[in-house]
């Protein structure tokens, strides 16, 4: 199995397992960021939008609201669990006909009819070949179509300042991985790929054909009432890939060590502020 296929499988399997609880423990982190992506697109009623890596609909639902009853949003995701859960949510909200989620590879897709806009909320860094995803997104848009995405800012090959809780957790869990097992956390964050910096991110978008590439940094924050709330949330998102590699007989030990290590970030009331500095990209075809 190639490294690219292995990484894709790791990501798909983690999100399949997390679909029912995704971003649901403690604070909802990705829904505000999804709304931010939809707002960046400056959508108009009646537009058709493609949501790449739709997950549970953090971008899809605000997009559907903004394009209105005459518009349409198609979400694609490689995890069947996410597609199923998002479809259930679409039906529950009465949006059938205006929104749809389907299985799809973010690095290899095409559509007969072009879209007015596309979104990719916190997904590009998970892809072993982000350049292919950008090329597919470019091809799926009409001339003048907009593409908005969020990803992680990095500094010197690490997550940017502000991601202290994620760095602490990654450091703890890495010590519990079996010998010879590679930590997937750093592999999927784009720390060595085309999204490593604002400059390289812009270059990757322009290489795909996009123009008017606008990149901003957003100091997004949230708060969990307890460290345990935060740890529960980390089992429903990307970091599940680390948790799943910890031997079952060591999970309690790893959780205890993570809880102790994170106390340095806890407030007097025991709450934990989760800082998630975010890079936004808005590009035009």
């Amino acid at each position: 199995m190639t490294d690219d296929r292995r990484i894709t499988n790791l990501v798909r399997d983690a999100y399949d397992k997390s679909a029912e609880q995704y971003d649901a423990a403690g604070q909802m982190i990705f829904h505000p960021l999804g709304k931010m992506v939809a707002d960046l697109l400056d959508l108009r009623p009646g537009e058709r939008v493609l949501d790449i890596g739709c997950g549970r609909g953090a971008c899809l639902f605000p997009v559907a609201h903004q394009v209105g009853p005459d518009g349409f949003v198609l979400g694609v995701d490689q995890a069947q669990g996410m597609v199923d859960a998002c479809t259930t949510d679409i039906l529950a909200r009465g949006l059938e006909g205006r929104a749809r989620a389907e299985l799809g590879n973010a690095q290899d897709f095409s559509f007969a009819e072009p879209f007015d806009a596309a979104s990719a909320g916190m997904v590009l860094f998970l892809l072993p070949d982000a350049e292919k995803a950008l090329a597919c997104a470019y091809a799926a848009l009409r001339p003048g179509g907009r593409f908005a995405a969020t990803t992680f800012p990095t500094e010197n090959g690490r997550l940017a300042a502000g991601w202290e809780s994620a760095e602490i957790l990654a450091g703890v869990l890495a010590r519990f991985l079996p010998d010879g097992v590679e930590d997937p956390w750093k592999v999927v964050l784009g720390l060595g790929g085309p999204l490593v910096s604002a400059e390289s991110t812009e270059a990757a978008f322009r290489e795909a054909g996009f123009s008017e590439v606008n990149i901003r940094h957003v100091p997004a924050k949230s708060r969990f009432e307890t460290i345990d709330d935060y740890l529960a949330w980390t089992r429903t998102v990307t970091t599940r890939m680390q948790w799943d590699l910890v031997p079952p007989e060591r999970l309690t030990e790893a959780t205890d060590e993570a809880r102790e290590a994170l106390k340095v970030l806890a407030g007097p009331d025991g709450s934990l502020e989760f800082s998630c500095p975010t890079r936004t990209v808005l590009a035009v075809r």
Side-chain angles (χ1 to χ4, degrees), residues 28-85:
M28 303 282 277
I29 305 300
F30 297 126
H31 289 268
L33 294 178
K35 173 65 163 53
M36 181 172 63
V37 169
D39 291 343
L40 277 174
L41 288 171
D42 191 24
L43 295 164
R44 294 178 285 279
E47 289 195 306
R48 297 180 71 254
V49 183
L50 173 66
D51 184 27
I52 302 165
C54 64
R56 288 293 298 270
C59 295
L60 183 145
F61 290 114
V63 164
H65 174 74
Q66 292 184 23
V67 298
D70 295 326
F72 177 74
V73 54
L74 173 65
V76 295
D77 201 287
Q78 68 174 0
Q80 186 67 58
M82 287 293 189
V83 171
D84 293 343

Side-chain angles (χ1 to χ4, degrees), residues 120-262:
M122 290 296 185
V123 66
L124 294 176
F125 59 88
L126 292 169
L127 306 175
D129 198 337
E131 293 99 329
K132 283 186 178 179
L134 293 177
C136 288
Y138 179 85
L141 291 169
R142 64 167 175 78
R146 298 94 66 207
F147 182 28
T150 47
T151 185
F152 295 109
T154 60
E155 296 171 354
N156 302 317
R158 297 175 63 86
L159 289 172
W163 280 93
E164 286 86 357
S165 58
E167 290 278 17
I168 288 172
L169 179 63
V172 170
L173 294 185
R175 298 197 295 271
F176 287 86
L177 302 186
D179 291 341
V181 174
E182 184 180 5
D183 178 1
W185 175 249
K186 295 186 182 299
V187 176
V188 302
L189 289 179
L191 299 179
L195 309 179
V196 68
S197 68
E199 292 76 17
S200 63
T201 298
E202 179 176 352
F205 271 77
R206 292 191 181 279
E207 181 66 23
F210 289 98
S211 62
E212 301 178 38
V213 182
N214 184 9
I215 296 177
R216 295 174 53 236
H217 291 283
V218 179
K221 293 184 179 181
S222 189
R223 182 173 294 276
F224 293 87
E225 291 189 8
T226 68
I227 290 174
D228 283 342
D229 285 342
Y230 171 72
L231 290 174
W233 176 77
T234 65
R235 295 173 189 259
T236 73
V237 291
T238 310
T239 38
R240 177 163 188 154
M241 285 186 288
Q242 278 191 313
W243 283 110
D244 283 351
L245 290 174
V246 176
E249 67 274 13
R250 302 197 70 191
L251 272 174
T252 298
E253 182 186 359
T255 301
D256 290 343
E257 285 201 20
R259 184 186 298 114
E260 188 64 29
L262 287 164

